[in-house]
Amino acid sequence: MLKGADEAAVEQENSASPHGEMTSWDINDIKLPQDVRQIDWFQEWPDSYVKHIYSSEDKNAQRHHSSWAMRNTNNHNSRILKKSCLGVVVCGNDCSTSDGRKIYLRPAICDKARQKQQRKCCPNCNGPLKLLSCRGHGGYPVTNFWRHEGQFIFFQSKGAHDHPRPETKLEAEARRSIHKAQTAFSASSIRLKRIQEIESLTGAMPMPEALPLLLSKPDAYVIPANFKGHLSKSSQEPTLSSCSGQLLYPRAAGEDEGSGEALTWSQSPSLGRIPSAERLCSGPAVPCTAPSHQHCAHFSTQHVLPVTKGGHGSFRPNTGPLGDGSCGEKSLLTYSSSCLSLPPYPAPQSGPCSRVSGAPLRGSEGDMSEGGPQVGLNYCHNDMVFNLYPLR
DNA sequence: AGTTGCGGGCCCT
DNA sequence: AGGGCCCGCAACT
């Protein structure tokens, strides 16, 4: 089954990765190569028939992360973890936000949660939500395989996603948090109103200053504590302050990433990749730190990434020399690291930074990363969060 | 409440 | 046998 369409794909599969010698393996092979000379940066949006070899110390790889909504699939092989794509949740009315973006929600991974999710309404138009299943692998969902072998984590993707990208996990979490905050906010404003009424009856002076921040700006939401948790567990304050001027407001229309991304996707249904994208940057390990102002002004959700479908988002080894979350345990920062790859102007997303050409293998990862990148990580997230705004 | 991984089981080819 | 999928469970966040 699946054969015909796949065979051709399998052929490109073997050349999908820049380091040709490494792609001769298959995840099902009894023995996987151990003479790996080059490991890959984590790919946030693996697509098509690609293979990657990550360091076993790469936290994202360890967690089998993907920005696609992947659910675990039992393949009755405990050595190989298999996941299949759940697609994307779209608005049944095919509505667009005021700035032209489409609604691409992340399907809940848990079956029950997903059913519950589908009973909810479109956050934009209140229309029904619709789950767009992934059928990119011969009519079946795209599957991802993970296998830990020695010092490496082997990743293989089968199938090309035939649907737009959903929100990343972080965005979905952020949206939930915003929703919670919104709920809490309404509840607390009612309480406050009552308190004020009582106070006015008793003659006590209300203390506006004591009211929650931004009450006067109903469109701007206070970041709830739990929301902050989603943003970062370690180091977001500085960035919040550094960006707050803009971030506290909904992004201006036109800085659309959602529709742009969708457009890109629809224009290049499945093979609109830029195969050489990842090779564009063969230079230094950290060549692509975008101008800092960009972080606030333009970056937003993953959709803003100038991605061509399949231009794999790459998680920089964000995290510190060993990609282990030294600048933020949670995926947040690691996810956001994809922002770092962004050049000031749309270009293949992952490409430039996704890989250290000839990067030494483990043992000298100290060469990767360092310095600059981490500084900007949070910018992306904070901005991301506020760019979820139109979806409220 | 939701995510993730595991594994039993069923169905289909 | 291999792949897809459903289900429940447990650990974790």
Side-chain angles (χ1 to χ4, degrees):
Chain A
M1 57 180 89
L2 303 181
K3 295 281 156 44
D6 286 351
E7 311 234 320
V10 167
E11 291 187 17
Q12 37 167 288
E13 178 177 359
N14 284 340
S15 57
S17 183
H19 36 266
E21 88 263 39
M22 291 284 94
T23 57
S24 52
W25 53 271
D26 184 90
I27 201 80
N28 290 309
D29 289 350
I30 295 173
K31 262 202 139 187
L32 291 174
Q34 287 301 308
D35 59 333
V36 180
R37 274 176 243 154
Q38 187 176 315
I39 54 175
D40 297 323
W41 293 125
F42 192 81
Q43 300 298 302
E44 186 178 0
W45 297 100
D47 203 349
S48 298
Y49 295 76
V50 296
K51 297 170 187 172
H52 294 291
I53 301 176
Y54 302 122
S55 160
S56 61
E57 303 193 22
D58 184 315
K59 293 294 181 190
N60 292 308
Q62 284 177 4
R63 291 165 185 155
H64 314 129
H65 273 316
S66 172
S67 286
W68 298 103
M70 307 295 294
R71 73 164 162 193
N72 193 307
T73 301
N74 187 10
N75 61 339
H76 302 277
N77 183 345
S78 55
R79 296 188 63 183
I80 303 175
L81 177 63
K82 177 182 176 183
K83 294 184 156 199
S84 51
C85 181
L86 287 166
V88 61
V89 172
V90 300
C91 172
N93 292 339
D94 194 32
C95 73
S96 301
T97 61
S98 54
D99 51 354
R101 283 182 287 176
K102 292 288 185 187
I103 305 296
Y104 296 129
L105 305 182
R106 181 181 188 79
I109 305 298
C110 165
D111 294 346
K112 279 185 181 172
R114 200 165 55 253
Q115 284 163 12
K116 192 172 152 189
Q117 177 185 38
Q118 285 180 78
R119 289 196 297 269
K120 291 181 181 171
C121 298
C122 169
N124 184 53
C125 73
N126 276 330
L129 290 176
K130 188 172 72 180
L131 179 65
L132 214 60
S133 300
C134 177
R135 301 182 190 284
H137 188 207
Y140 287 108
V142 169
T143 46
N144 286 356
F145 298 86
W146 296 89
R147 181 167 156 192
H148 294 233
E149 209 68 54
Q151 296 177 308
F152 311 107
I153 297 176
F154 293 81
F155 170 86
Q156 185 169 353
S157 170
K158 297 184 178 177
H161 296 274
D162 60 344
H163 54 85
R165 293 177 176 182
E167 307 161 293
T168 62
K169 186 182 164 190
L170 286 165
E171 289 164 336
E173 286 174 354
R175 194 167 41 80
R176 277 202 295 270
S177 295
I178 287 175
H179 187 256
K180 277 185 194 167
Q182 192 175 8
T183 311
F185 174 78
S186 330
S188 64
S189 7
I190 290 172
R191 277 199 299 274
L192 279 165
K193 215 173 179 180
R194 290 180 119 181
I195 290 170
Q196 287 177 347
E197 284 169 5
I198 292 169
E199 283 171 338
S200 63
L201 285 174
T202 58
M205 284 292 287
M207 299 274 289
E209 304 86 339
L211 299 180
L213 208 57
L214 301 177
L215 271 183
S216 60
K217 192 178 283 296
D219 259 340
Y221 280 82
V222 179
I223 301 175
N226 62 345
F227 182 73
K228 281 184 151 190
H230 285 302
L231 279 179
S232 165
K233 285 188 172 162
S234 58
S235 58
Q236 54 156 333
E237 284 78 8
T239 49
L240 269 180
S241 58
S242 61
C243 283
S244 58
Q246 286 153 29
L247 292 176
L248 285 175
Y249 298 88
R251 202 177 29 130
E255 289 176 15
D256 176 355
E257 77 300 337
S259 60
E261 197 275 334
L263 190 58
T264 303
W265 173 81
S266 61
Q267 285 173 339
S268 49
S270 65
L271 296 174
R273 310 181 62 224
I274 298 182
S276 60
E278 300 189 71
R279 274 165 265 202
L280 290 180
C281 177
S282 57
V286 189
C288 303
T289 305
S292 60
H293 69 273
Q294 292 269 347
H295 293 300
C296 288
H298 298 291
F299 293 178
S300 83
T301 67
Q302 94 282 7
H303 296 137
V304 81
L305 299 176
V307 201
T308 56
K309 175 177 194 241
H312 312 302
S314 63
F315 285 12
R316 297 296 310 278
N318 56 28
T319 56
L322 294 178
D324 66 350
S326 60
C327 72
E329 231 299 288
K330 223 186 152 183
S331 42
L332 213 359
L333 291 179
T334 56
Y335 275 82
S336 69
S337 60
S338 58
C339 300
L340 293 174
S341 304
L342 283 175
Y345 187 80
Q349 172 200 6
S350 61
C353 306
S354 66
R355 167 184 330 276
V356 179
S357 183
L361 196 47
R362 289 162 24 82
S364 52
E365 286 115 324
D367 293 350
M368 314 166 158
S369 77
E370 306 307 348
Q374 287 89 346
V375 177
L377 291 177
N378 295 316
Y379 290 87
C380 304
H381 273 292
N382 295 331
D383 193 27
M384 167 197 86
V385 164
F386 289 97
N387 280 307
L388 288 170
Y389 227 92
L391 298 184
R392 280 183 304 142

